[in-house]
Amino acid sequence: MSGEPTDAPRRRGRFITLEGGEGAGKSTQAARIVAALKGLGIPAIATREPGGTAKAEELRAALLAGIVAPLGPAAEALAFSAARVDHLDRKIKPALEEGVWVVCDRFADSTRAYQGALGHLAPQLIRAMENVVVGADRPDLTLMIDLDPEKGLARAAARRGDNSVDRFEGQSTAFHRALRAAFVKIAADEPQRCALIDGARSENDVAAEIWHEIENRLDPREWRRPL
Ligand code: TYD
């Protein structure tokens, strides 16, 4: 006897990310995707970046407090990437290998857009970092929730209920417009991976379009069938 486990091979989970500007409704939609998947009997978790693990959440606190900002966009990109390494190693990859679907609020496209396009980092640097950090663990589907930044920032402020802003919310409207353009460009450049979702509609309408994309592109009902 070899002592090898005799379990049937487990199908790898799918990796879905949500991207977009501030207040686009990503975390609400992430929770709805997880609920819909579980409704089909598919194990699924929601997570977020920066964060998702204890150490990455510590880095998140420093990043959103603006502690790394004075070091420049390259250092910020490295700090976001360091958080991502821990998140991938300790949470995302183990879950996918266990056959769990992972739904992540922000991921590497946020580094491309915020630090890359807006921080004016060389695309080769962003690509090299992404190759090292993410490698083959790229998302199966990225939902780009597109929304007029004025609407998004107003939503984010209403959600907080006060006038406080974090490191990125405090940027100018021009910054947020450029951010929107950066996400739209990523979606246009990688249509196989990315779906551009109109985030200006009601929560239910956005959820319906997202579910349509998931069904068309990832076929969750087929995935559920035993191998
Ligand atoms: P968060 O409060 O989660 O923003 P939102 O609700 O809009 O998702 O804060 C995350 C912030 O960090 C957000 O402003 C985007 C920024 N960010 C980067 O600049 N680079 C990154 O790689 C990631 C993951 C996030």
Side-chain angles (χ1 to χ4, degrees):
M1 292 293 288
S2 67
E4 294 278 323
T6 53
D7 289 355
R10 217 193 292 260
R11 195 170 281 185
R12 189 177 165 84
R14 304 272 199 211
F15 184 21
I16 301 172
T17 58
L18 292 111
E19 299 277 6
E22 321 283 329
K26 298 183 301 304
S27 49
T28 307
Q29 295 297 339
R32 291 185 66 142
I33 296 168
V34 167
L37 290 169
K38 285 185 174 166
L40 286 182
I42 294 175
I45 56 166
T47 188
R48 68 165 180 188
E49 289 212 348
T53 61
K55 284 291 160 207
E57 290 287 335
E58 285 177 28
L59 286 167
R60 174 190 177 89
L63 282 158
L64 295 198
I67 292 170
V68 188
L71 280 60
E76 272 196 311
L78 289 165
F80 279 109
S81 298
R84 186 161 301 132
V85 167
D86 195 56
H87 191 205
L88 275 164
D89 285 352
R90 287 178 204 274
K91 191 167 185 181
I92 297 175
K93 287 198 257 183
L96 295 173
E97 277 151 26
E98 283 280 303
V100 175
W101 288 41
V102 176
V103 181
C104 189
D105 181 352
R106 295 199 183 281
F107 193 65
D109 294 316
S110 282
T111 310
R112 288 195 200 174
Y114 282 80
Q115 285 69 49
L118 296 171
H120 305 294
L121 285 186
Q124 305 91 289
L125 177 62
I126 292 285
R127 255 200 308 277
M129 239 173 0
E130 205 175 296
N131 283 340
V132 171
V133 172
V134 180
D137 298 302
R138 295 211 151 70
D140 297 298
L141 171 63
T142 296
L143 300 155
M144 296 280 185
I145 307 190
D146 184 48
L147 181 64
D148 182 326
E150 268 154 37
K151 286 200 186 118
L153 289 169
R155 277 192 199 168
R159 189 178 55 197
R160 278 193 317 273
D162 60 28
N163 289 327
S164 65
V165 287
D166 71 23
R167 152 93 179 90
F168 296 97
E169 282 164 359
Q171 297 279 357
S172 69
T173 309
F175 174 96
H176 290 285
R177 293 208 175 286
L179 182 66
R180 181 186 197 184
F183 281 124
V184 168
K185 180 167 184 337
I186 294 171
D189 288 348
E190 290 185 53
Q192 295 275 77
R193 171 174 68 88
C194 303
L196 192 66
I197 307 288
D198 175 4
R201 294 158 312 154
S202 72
E203 184 191 314
N204 280 346
D205 285 354
V206 174
E209 189 184 341
I210 284 177
W211 189 248
H212 178 73
E213 292 292 347
I214 290 174
E215 287 201 310
N216 275 350
R217 291 166 181 256
L218 302 180
D219 204 352
R221 286 166 216 277
E222 173 57 31
W223 183 91
R224 226 181 119 245
R225 292 214 178 90
L227 284 170

